[in-house]
Amino acid sequence: MNWKTSRRSLYYMGAPEPEDPILEKGKVALLVIDVQNTYLERPDPSTLSGVDLERYHAWTPFHERMHGTVIPSIGRLVHAFRERELETIFVRIACHHNDGRDRSLSQKKPGWNNLLLPKDEEPSQIVDELKPLPTEIQLTKTTDSALTGTNLRLILSNMGTTHVVCVGIFTDQCVSSTVRSLADESFDVIVIDDACAAASDDIHKQELEIINMIYCNVMNTDEFLEYLPYPPR
């Protein structure tokens, strides 16, 4: 199966295959979501025990996917967009006040989403492997959706963007929330499977099946790059 027939939920069993995307220069943008230092930091397992050690091992597949698949795939996409002088935009979760009082409620609730990431500190920065160029747009958000928490919608509209290619983490949280917001604003969205990750592979796959065909089309990096016909500069 290819991207047109795979990752289908019950809603879209037997539905017509989607059309090939027509990606015009000046109308397509790559959106890199929340690939930040804080999510790739790991403690020394020799210092852990009990529940903390169990949690460490539970997150190992995520870190393996990020370093072995996701970051390299995003790197390929960023390189391809830069070569063709196409728009690349980076968004990250960060707060403007050090005490985080400007965060949205979802980032203040106890548990996983309780994030305190002051914008100028190292944990909130984009990972070095994907460091944005000075000329590339960088946005800071205090929400899951990059549209809700920034002026991204206005920026995309001002540039005449029609297609947004979404990559990053986490598939079921900030990526999905952004994808749904973009779709509601009538942007044509593509999500790159091997350039995204969730806490587990099962969650990742489930979320892609949920959003595919209605909020976006899902494909892998190789499939997507076939639709970038512009020769490198």
Side-chain angles (χ1 to χ4, degrees):
M1 292 195 297
N2 61 25
W3 70 270
K4 295 187 177 186
T5 55
S6 61
R7 309 180 191 87
R8 291 195 176 204
S9 69
L10 180 59
Y11 294 110
Y12 289 93
M13 292 297 180
E17 292 186 5
E19 297 180 358
D20 290 338
I22 299 175
L23 306 177
E24 299 181 37
K25 191 168 186 177
K27 294 186 177 182
V28 57
L30 175 66
L31 184 63
V32 182
I33 302 169
D34 297 353
V35 189
Q36 299 169 238
N37 291 328
T38 188
Y39 297 119
L40 296 176
E41 294 172 347
R42 302 206 83 186
D44 181 349
S46 67
T47 66
L48 305 176
S49 61
V51 173
D52 291 333
L53 185 58
E54 290 179 15
R55 186 180 297 112
Y56 176 92
H57 290 304
W59 277 92
T60 294
F62 165 80
H63 288 274
E64 291 175 344
R65 177 176 172 84
M66 287 299 298
H67 290 290
T69 301
V70 174
I71 290 176
S73 295
I74 295 177
R76 287 181 62 199
L77 292 164
V78 169
H79 179 71
F81 271 68
R82 287 173 178 169
E83 275 194 319
R84 292 161 175 80
E85 299 183 321
L86 303 175
E87 202 71 41
T88 300
I89 300 172
F90 294 82
V91 296
R92 63 189 176 110
I93 295 176
C95 51
H96 298 277
H97 290 293
N98 286 343
D99 64 3
R101 63 182 183 273
D102 57 305
R103 295 174 297 168
S104 63
L105 179 60
S106 66
Q107 290 180 12
K108 296 176 182 177
K109 290 184 176 180
W112 166 251
N113 254 12
N114 187 11
L115 296 169
L116 181 59
L117 295 171
K119 62 183 177 62
D120 295 324
E121 295 187 3
E122 188 65 19
S124 71
Q125 306 307 311
I126 304 295
V127 298
D128 286 343
E129 297 96 319
L130 303 174
K131 188 174 182 179
L133 299 177
T135 54
E136 292 171 335
I137 295 172
Q138 300 178 56
L139 300 173
T140 298
K141 62 188 178 73
T142 57
T143 58
D144 279 13
S145 170
L147 257 70
T148 302
T150 72
N151 64 338
L152 176 60
R153 183 198 62 76
L154 182 61
I155 289 173
L156 292 173
S157 296
N158 287 347
M159 295 191 301
T161 305
T162 58
H163 288 72
V164 182
V165 182
C166 290
V167 300
I169 53 178
F170 288 84
T171 313
D172 58 313
Q173 297 187 23
C174 292
V175 173
S176 178
S177 183
T178 299
V179 166
R180 291 166 184 257
S181 295
L182 285 165
D184 281 344
E185 295 285 349
S186 293
F187 291 98
D188 203 330
V189 185
I190 297 170
V191 174
I192 308 301
D193 185 334
D194 54 336
C196 296
S200 73
D201 198 44
D202 284 343
I203 295 173
H204 170 75
K205 291 178 179 177
Q206 290 168 6
E207 187 62 30
L208 290 184
E209 187 175 293
I210 289 169
I211 62 177
N212 187 37
M213 297 285 292
I214 179 170
Y215 301 109
C216 64
N217 285 318
V218 180
M219 57 185 76
N220 62 36
T221 299
D222 288 336
E223 290 171 327
F224 171 75
L225 289 176
E226 292 180 1
Y227 294 104
L228 282 183
Y230 320 109
R233 54 183 171 162

